[in-house]
Amino acid sequence: MSEAKRLSVWYQTLSGRARNIRNACKSSVLVYQNGKVGSSTVTKSLQKAGIENAHVHRFFFKKDIVGELLLGKEQRDFICTSNFLSFQFPEYIRSVKVEMKGKKIITMVREPIAVDLSTVFQWIGEGTTSRRFAKQIQQGMTFRQVVFELMKEIQNRQFEWFDEELKELSGIDVYSRPFNQEKGYTIISEDNVEILLLKAEKLSNLADVIRDFVGEQRFELLNENVGKNKKYAHLYRRMRTEIELSREYVEYYYHHNPHMDHFYSKEEQKKFLDQWKKNISLE
């Protein structure tokens, strides 16, 4: 991808962020989460029920890895100054917090290795990683090695999101609140903030919970696999089987990780880990 093309994609990205935030200001329900947790199903289901909602990943962009992948880490100053949503504009921060008061927020969490891999493939599909991948492959790395290197770089991004975004927006620290692991969700109501936090793995059983939370009896959860329609779906399925994960990377999530322990029981974690065992490198 040429420099001109990368800059064009960057400014399209900024425009898309601004559009999402405008939609958030108009909507009473936010589907607000890190990404790659099945939230598109919730958004589409709300829309079908006639519930106006906004699908938002980030408001604050303390770390802008998308910009760095597109333009290079050496362009961090330019990324910061061109991104009008950055923390150099405190009035924007205050305004967003005021605009989002009183809205219902639906947020989600998902098994983290799947989130890391899905995030990388989302960026591949969007062309975000082409600059970095081309450089590393030229240096002799294989495609799956490059994928895993980026997975390591974004490790814990999903769990950090709850502090960097949700806590920044609402003042709510989800890790200090109890989470019902068996039911797979919790509802937090505090200081004009209403948050429904649920596990993606339990989503198919939570239609009634979402229906009651948004107050719309017409709500039905669509049975839709959004991922299968992605243009990179076949490559993702293959990589899901072939990717090699270092033991250190896997143990970070599955060896006394407080974030995993908050959302997932030891039994759930064992089932997840069993699904990844064949991918763990012996080196």
Side-chain angles (χ1 to χ4, degrees):
M1 187 185 297
S2 68
E3 289 299 320
K5 177 64 173 176
R6 274 193 286 271
L7 284 170
S8 175
V9 173
W10 171 237
Y11 283 114
Q12 288 172 13
T13 300
L14 294 179
S15 178
R17 292 173 180 178
R19 183 169 57 252
N20 289 340
I21 292 169
R22 287 198 301 272
N23 290 339
C25 292
K26 296 186 296 182
S27 302
S28 59
V29 177
L30 303 183
V31 182
Y32 177 42
Q33 30 56 54
N34 174 67
K36 312 315 297 179
V37 294
S39 54
S40 293
T41 296
V42 175
T43 297
K44 290 174 184 282
S45 300
L46 290 168
Q47 290 172 344
K48 188 173 182 180
I51 303 169
E52 189 177 25
N53 70 97
H55 194 187
V56 184
H57 295 315
R58 291 179 182 267
F59 286 109
F60 305 119
F61 300 96
K62 286 185 176 180
K63 302 171 186 174
D64 207 331
I65 191 169
V66 170
E68 291 182 7
L69 285 170
L70 276 171
L71 304 178
K73 291 183 178 181
E74 65 275 12
Q75 297 294 333
R76 279 177 177 168
D77 288 345
F78 170 72
I79 292 166
C80 183
T81 55
S82 64
N83 187 352
F84 69 94
L85 308 177
S86 73
F87 262 61
Q88 61 183 316
F89 296 98
E91 185 55 40
Y92 164 77
I93 306 300
R94 289 192 291 268
S95 177
V96 164
K97 291 180 179 180
V98 170
E99 288 281 357
M100 297 305 126
K101 286 186 181 296
K103 296 184 185 294
K104 291 180 179 289
I105 298 174
I106 300 175
T107 191
M108 302 170 69
V109 66
R110 179 188 175 198
E111 193 281 320
I113 297 179
V115 170
D116 291 347
L117 181 58
S118 297
T119 298
V120 171
F121 268 83
Q122 178 74 29
W123 290 338
I124 290 172
E126 294 169 349
T128 303
T129 62
S130 59
R131 181 180 190 271
R132 172 169 173 160
F133 277 34
K135 181 179 180 179
Q136 291 182 316
I137 288 174
Q138 287 174 357
Q139 293 172 345
M141 295 178 67
T142 66
F143 179 72
R144 66 183 182 185
Q145 286 174 331
V146 176
V147 169
F148 180 54
E149 284 299 310
L150 187 49
M151 289 175 66
K152 288 194 296 183
E153 189 168 321
I154 64 173
Q155 188 174 38
N156 211 44
R157 188 170 184 262
Q158 172 187 219
F159 293 138
E160 291 171 349
W161 181 92
F162 288 101
D163 286 331
E164 293 176 357
E165 285 288 328
L166 187 61
K167 184 178 178 181
E168 182 69 37
L169 180 72
S170 66
I172 301 295
D173 177 4
V174 300
Y175 297 118
S176 69
R177 306 300 199 281
F179 184 84
N180 192 318
Q181 295 177 347
E182 183 178 357
K183 291 184 177 179
Y185 75 93
T186 190
I187 296 175
I188 302 171
S189 298
E190 183 178 309
D191 296 333
N192 202 27
V193 175
E194 289 185 89
I195 299 171
L196 169 59
L197 169 56
L198 54 88
K199 289 193 287 196
E201 294 82 6
K202 297 279 190 178
L203 180 59
S204 61
N205 299 321
L206 297 177
D208 288 345
V209 173
I210 299 173
R211 183 182 302 121
D212 292 343
F213 182 74
V214 298
E216 176 51 74
Q217 294 306 304
R218 292 177 298 170
F219 177 85
E220 297 290 342
L221 197 61
L222 299 176
N223 184 17
E224 182 176 351
N225 184 351
V226 177
K228 72 178 181 180
N229 298 321
K230 300 286 189 181
K231 61 184 179 181
Y232 54 78
H234 67 289
L235 183 58
Y236 173 85
R237 288 193 296 269
R238 178 179 172 183
M239 189 57 56
R240 172 62 183 82
T241 301
E242 297 181 356
I243 189 76
E244 289 188 6
L245 309 171
S246 70
R247 188 168 298 279
E248 181 183 28
Y249 168 85
V250 175
E251 287 183 350
Y252 177 86
Y253 285 130
Y254 286 99
H255 187 67
H256 303 303
N257 184 302
H259 297 138
M260 285 292 288
D261 292 340
H262 184 76
F263 294 117
Y264 295 102
S265 69
K266 291 302 182 183
E267 182 181 359
E268 287 175 307
Q269 291 183 44
K270 183 180 183 303
K271 289 179 180 179
F272 291 144
L273 187 56
D274 286 344
Q275 295 172 7
W276 292 109
K277 276 187 175 178
K278 291 182 180 179
N279 299 95
I280 301 175
S281 173
L282 298 177
E283 296 181 3

